[in-house]
Amino acid sequence: MVLLDTPRRRRSANRGWAIAAALLWAVVFAMCAWYVWGGPDDVSATASRGKEGTTTKAIPAIGSADTLPPAATPQIVPTSVTATGSVSRASSPKAAGATMTATQPAATTTSELPTTTLPPTTTLPPTTTTTLPRALTVAASGDVLGDRGPGNFMDKHGGAAIFAEVKPLLETAMIAFVNVEGPISDKGVRASWKQFTFRGRPALADGLASAGIDVVSLANNHSMDYGPKALLDTFPRLRAAGVQWAGAGGAPAPPAARPPHLAPPATAGAG
């Protein structure tokens, strides 16, 4: 009995190993089939990610289980998302095979600069500028003689030549004043009782004006050396030359005592 049962047990054991081997080969064939038909999608997605440097993300396709009725079968389409924001779906034999690109708008950052409020400005009152007049300069000289040696010089060179050396000193002053010894005339009779008598040449009046002399004094001890006629002839000659005088005048006496009124450049026209 023992010898008869041994071959049967061996056949049962061999049958078990055969069934296990068949199951193992079935599993191997199933894995190979899954790799052959289901693997290329994942492989193509991985290759695309390696070449483009993109990130692969699986998203449900249009008509997936979220939107289709319960009877529909969900389908998964591999999708690549690039750094620029575009989404590209790879083709699959199980999906519709369409490629959809969605461009996302670039993010915009708006920075607002801080506003600065300036303090209110203060308006200053207008300033008043006061211009002071120039200082009054006066040039004064002593006796001016138009007779004897100076008279002879003027007879040859004219009245302006006698003042050529002092003209720069006199004409720069606002008021130039001198004393004229004797009348300026070619008239009158010499006072014989006097030891020294003077009568200036008529050209002296023009010489005074050319030197810039503004006013002369006739109040001296030689004004009457040739009498009243020569003195009275002096006034129109000075007036014609534009020179004012003081210290002598005609009748009545008050004009001789009335001072002349001068308007120097610094005050001329100032009400």
Side-chain angles (χ1 to χ4, degrees), residues 40-225:
D41 293 338
D42 296 336
V43 173
S44 62
T46 304
S48 175
R49 180 180 57 189
K51 292 180 181 180
E52 300 179 3
T54 58
T55 303
T56 303
K57 179 180 178 182
I59 61 174
I62 299 176
S64 62
D66 296 334
T67 58
L68 294 178
T73 302
Q75 297 180 356
I76 298 176
V77 179
T79 304
S80 61
V81 180
T82 63
T84 59
S86 62
V87 180
S88 178
R89 295 180 178 177
S91 60
S92 174
K94 298 179 181 180
T99 301
M100 180 182 67
T101 302
T103 303
Q104 298 179 356
T108 302
T109 302
T110 303
S111 60
E112 184 177 355
L113 297 176
T115 57
T116 303
T117 303
L118 298 177
T121 58
T122 303
T123 302
L124 298 177
T127 58
T128 303
T129 303
T130 302
T131 302
L132 297 176
R134 293 184 300 167
L136 180 64
T137 57
V138 178
S141 176
D143 296 343
V144 173
L145 183 64
D147 199 355
R148 299 188 179 187
N152 296 331
F153 183 86
M154 285 188 287
D155 291 340
K156 296 179 181 179
H157 304 285
I162 198 67
F163 294 97
E165 298 296 330
V166 295
K167 179 179 179 180
L169 302 176
L170 297 174
E171 66 181 355
T172 57
M174 294 182 181
I175 297 178
F177 173 83
V178 298
N179 175 62
V180 175
E181 286 288 307
I184 301 175
S185 176
D186 54 1
K187 301 178 180 180
V189 177
R190 178 181 179 272
S192 57
W193 64 91
K194 296 184 66 174
Q195 181 180 0
F196 299 102
T197 57
F198 305 119
R199 182 177 63 176
R201 304 292 196 275
L204 180 61
D206 295 330
L208 294 170
S210 67
I213 295 174
D214 302 292
V215 60
V216 298
S217 172
L218 300 177
N220 54 72
N221 59 329
H222 294 284
S223 296
M224 295 293 290
D225 282 357

